[in-house]
Amino acid sequence: MRQFLTSTVAASALALMMSLAPAAAEERDPNAKPGGEIIITYKDDVATLDPAIGYDWQNWSMIKSLFDGLMDYEPGTTTLRPELAESYEISEDGQTFTFKLRPGVKFHNGRELTADDVKYSLERVVNPETQSPGAGFFASIKGFDEVANGSTTSLSGVTVVDPLTVKIELARPDATFLHVLALNFAHVVPKEEVEKYGADFGKNPVGTGAYKMTDWTLGQHVVFEKNPDYWNKGLPYLDKITFEVGQEPIVALLRLQKGEVDVPGDGIPPAKFQEVMADPDQKARVVEGGQLHTGYITMNTTMAPFDNVKVRQAVNMAINKDRIVQLINNRAVPANQPLPPSMPGYSKDYKGYAYDVEKAKALLAEAGHPDGFETELYVMNTDPNPRIAQAIQQDLAAIGIKANIQSLAQANVIAAGGEKDGAPMIWSGGMGWIADFPDPSNFYGPILGCGGAVPGGWNWSWYCNEELDKKAAEADSITDPTKAEERYKMWGEIYEAIMADAPWVPVFNEQRFTMRSPRMAGADALYVDPVHIPINYDYVYVTDVQ
């Protein structure tokens, strides 16, 4: 659900054996003084802080500040670097990765990290009992299928060589694997804490990150405090972050204007956007973040009548995307396919489904529904999403479909989508896909591939085309950077085939806007960091520290 980069870095790395020395300590912002605290508001409570489970834009960067993985990105960039790994080597065939861990890294409970923790964490995320929406990312690791089908809990491809060395063998070359190891799902957790809290680990997170959670009062706030034992010395800058929940976005904006909060986490309310942009003082504090994003409507392909492709195609023709873009102050462009236009693999010549009410009605009649039908449309309850859902509802009514809107908290919509019989239709707004890593494959596996069509997954259309899964694996086995265009062409063909099956209505590709308080700094970390969307909390600071 995040960022942008071509896969050249990963592809070239996989083409030869290499070893990276430990990343040099980052050059600290000379203007930053350690200390101070900030307040961030959200309308809804956080769903979870378990890296194996959390997968929405609200908790993504929070989790990144509590946990670490073998790999990460240079701050504010999409350049990969080792994180918990001190160095790594890749075999000539691109299928064996050997990681040397940094010595002396401690979990928040004081225990030192070892290679056993890495193996445990990877096996935990692919274990079907965990119900991780990210399990499919690790499908190239040897032994994945056996763990996924429940016949074992041990990944044969992950070997503990010694306490600070772990080897990962792949069943096939994977051009995206280093990016996968930078995902939250690959972050390392301590087995004893997971076993201690069980299903409540997400409410009692223990990692190795720059911050540790010290308080979570449901419905009120979550508090992070600086980790004094953090391995990356000098970080983070702040002593404390408080996430206040239950704040309506308009109220949060008013509090920001009064100096009571530092970031309205849900962004600038659409109803106030023009007003804010017309005020030079407020506009100066607006931060715009580019993102590889697609907002879409899912249709559950396993539930009647959406198990009929003609019904799904009719819905695609019924949606007036231009009108929806206008509802969000034109902060987006209409979409015609899953990939956003700036992503490699985007099919520039593909036209998609034109808005055509009469053709949509005719297709519905062909599908056996000349008078339409009744269904439910789930939506996140934060503005502008309920208003967008109403526009979708009106468009569907024009072809005879009565869609009853279920406006719920983000976590409840996500939960419904992760149940096979949970939600017939979902408008993804507020949860729409932002690339986890900058590669066309990322818009497939977790949200359109068979691996994502699992309980707790994010493939809310429950679409599974095994032939396309095979073609996707074939595309990702192309690791030679000189053949990148061939690989991107294959991905474009995959997405065009998906659109023929129409499990989605791609609606728009959106930019993100928010604001900050005058005292808050660390510009590269605030809503423009392409990986830690919405905020890289490790690198923000305040200017009024004495």
Side-chain angles (χ1 to χ4, degrees):
M1 63 201 202
R2 327 225 164 317
Q3 64 274 3
F4 175 75
L5 174 76
T6 67
S7 65
T8 304
V9 172
S12 59
L14 286 167
L16 72 164
M17 177 178 287
M18 66 182 298
S19 175
L20 290 187
E26 293 79 27
E27 181 179 347
R28 308 302 178 204
D29 189 327
N31 299 311
K33 292 182 179 179
E37 59 184 85
I38 60 173
I39 296 175
I40 298 173
T41 64
Y42 285 106
K43 182 176 186 291
D44 294 326
D45 212 334
V46 184
T48 180
L49 293 172
D50 184 340
I53 306 296
Y55 207 20
D56 61 62
W57 68 270
Q58 180 181 356
N59 64 22
W60 188 258
S61 57
M62 296 170 72
I63 289 170
K64 277 191 172 293
S65 283
L66 295 173
F67 297 87
D68 298 311
L70 293 174
M71 301 293 295
D72 196 11
Y73 297 87
E74 294 285 351
T77 77
T78 50
T79 302
L80 280 162
R81 68 171 185 189
E83 188 177 42
L84 291 179
E86 189 173 53
S87 64
Y88 65 88
E89 294 181 352
I90 308 175
S91 62
E92 289 186 13
D93 65 1
Q95 293 183 228
T96 301
F97 295 70
T98 304
F99 295 89
K100 290 286 187 181
L101 303 183
R102 296 181 187 274
V105 174
K106 292 182 179 180
F107 288 109
H108 298 153
N109 64 6
R111 180 173 69 76
E112 289 197 6
L113 171 102
T114 71
D116 286 307
D117 297 305
V118 177
K119 179 174 173 63
Y120 168 76
S121 299
L122 293 175
E123 290 174 342
R124 175 177 181 254
V125 80
V126 302
N127 190 321
E129 291 185 3
T130 305
Q131 294 192 10
S132 171
F137 283 120
F138 303 90
S140 61
I141 298 178
K142 279 186 180 179
F144 172 87
D145 291 340
E146 289 77 11
V147 176
N149 66 26
S151 59
T152 181
T153 59
S154 177
L155 279 169
S156 60
V158 181
T159 304
V160 173
V161 178
D162 61 48
L164 290 177
T165 309
V166 63
K167 181 173 69 175
I168 303 176
E169 297 173 271
L170 306 185
R172 55 176 169 80
D174 182 356
T176 70
F177 190 64
L178 288 178
H179 288 290
V180 168
L181 291 181
L183 294 176
N184 286 5
F185 301 118
H187 284 180
V188 182
V189 299
K191 181 179 181 180
E192 69 272 18
E193 298 291 343
V194 174
E195 292 181 343
K196 175 181 176 181
Y197 290 107
D200 289 331
F201 179 71
K203 293 288 191 294
N204 299 274
V206 177
T208 61
Y211 291 93
K212 56 183 179 180
M213 193 198 78
T214 57
D215 182 33
W216 187 340
T217 302
L218 292 177
Q220 296 184 31
H221 60 248
V222 179
V223 179
F224 286 5
E225 293 185 15
K226 183 175 185 173
N227 175 10
D229 295 324
Y230 191 45
W231 60 267
N232 200 346
K233 300 304 179 185
L235 293 178
Y237 297 127
L238 296 171
D239 288 335
K240 182 179 178 182
I241 305 173
T242 301
F243 303 91
E244 295 186 356
V245 300
Q247 299 278 315
E248 289 293 338
I250 288 181
V251 174
L253 179 63
L254 290 172
R255 293 188 65 203
L256 175 75
Q257 293 165 343
K258 293 178 180 178
E260 297 175 358
V261 302
D262 296 287
V263 178
D266 293 306
I268 304 169
K272 292 287 185 179
F273 184 75
Q274 297 296 347
E275 176 187 320
V276 166
M277 298 303 284
D279 181 341
D281 288 337
Q282 293 191 75
K283 184 178 179 180
R285 292 186 281 112
V286 171
V287 184
E288 178 180 357
Q291 55 189 7
L292 288 180
H293 165 277
T294 302
Y296 50 91
I297 304 164
T298 62
M299 291 167 279
N300 191 321
T301 59
T302 68
M303 297 173 67
F306 297 114
D307 55 351
N308 187 320
V309 66
K310 290 185 177 180
V311 170
R312 303 194 299 269
Q313 290 172 337
V315 171
N316 267 271
M317 294 178 182
I319 304 303
N320 185 341
K321 300 173 185 178
D322 290 327
R323 181 167 69 117
I324 293 174
V325 168
Q326 290 172 6
L327 286 176
I328 60 168
N329 308 112
N330 296 307
R331 291 184 284 177
V333 294
N336 64 11
Q337 58 191 282
L339 289 183
S342 53
M343 178 71 87
Y346 178 84
S347 296
K348 294 182 175 63
D349 297 329
Y350 179 72
K351 302 302 181 185
Y353 295 92
Y355 172 54
D356 193 322
V357 173
E358 295 308 314
K359 282 188 178 180
K361 287 180 178 178
L363 263 181
L364 266 192
E366 288 179 30
H369 300 279
D371 300 319
F373 55 86
E374 189 169 348
T375 189
E376 289 184 323
L377 173 64
Y378 283 65
V379 59
M380 177 183 170
N381 60 9
T382 301
D383 189 66
N385 296 303
R387 290 190 290 118
I388 292 174
Q390 289 170 359
I392 295 169
Q393 182 185 51
Q394 292 167 6
D395 288 343
L396 294 176
I399 65 169
I401 298 175
K402 180 182 178 182
N404 299 307
I405 294 174
Q406 300 293 325
S407 183
L408 305 170
Q410 180 186 64
N412 294 333
V413 178
I414 293 170
E419 296 177 12
K420 195 168 186 177
D421 58 353
M425 302 182 77
I426 296 176
W427 160 242
S428 73
M431 307 165 293
W433 200 251
I434 306 171
D436 297 289
F437 54 87
D439 188 90
S441 66
N442 186 235
F443 274 74
Y444 181 77
I447 50 177
L448 285 163
C450 297
V454 294
W458 273 62
N459 184 344
W460 299 335
S461 63
W462 290 82
Y463 175 74
C464 175
N465 185 320
E466 292 183 356
E467 288 303 313
L468 291 184
D469 259 25
K470 291 177 183 176
K471 187 168 184 177
E474 182 183 348
D476 281 349
S477 292
I478 299 174
T479 61
D480 184 346
T482 65
K483 296 182 179 180
E485 290 306 315
E486 175 187 337
R487 180 170 174 268
Y488 296 151
K489 183 175 183 293
M490 289 180 67
W491 273 112
E493 292 168 351
I494 289 169
Y495 288 114
E496 287 188 28
I498 288 170
M499 287 307 299
D501 284 341
W504 279 14
V505 181
V507 177
F508 58 54
N509 308 116
E510 184 183 8
Q511 289 283 90
R512 183 173 294 282
F513 291 77
T514 194
M515 293 180 70
R516 60 174 176 82
S517 66
R519 64 192 285 270
M520 192 170 174
D524 288 345
L526 180 63
Y527 274 85
V528 292
D529 188 296
V531 178
H532 294 75
I533 288 174
I535 300 174
N536 187 339
Y537 298 111
D538 299 8
Y539 288 85
V540 295
Y541 59 93
V542 290
T543 57
D544 55 359
V545 175
Q546 300 302 316

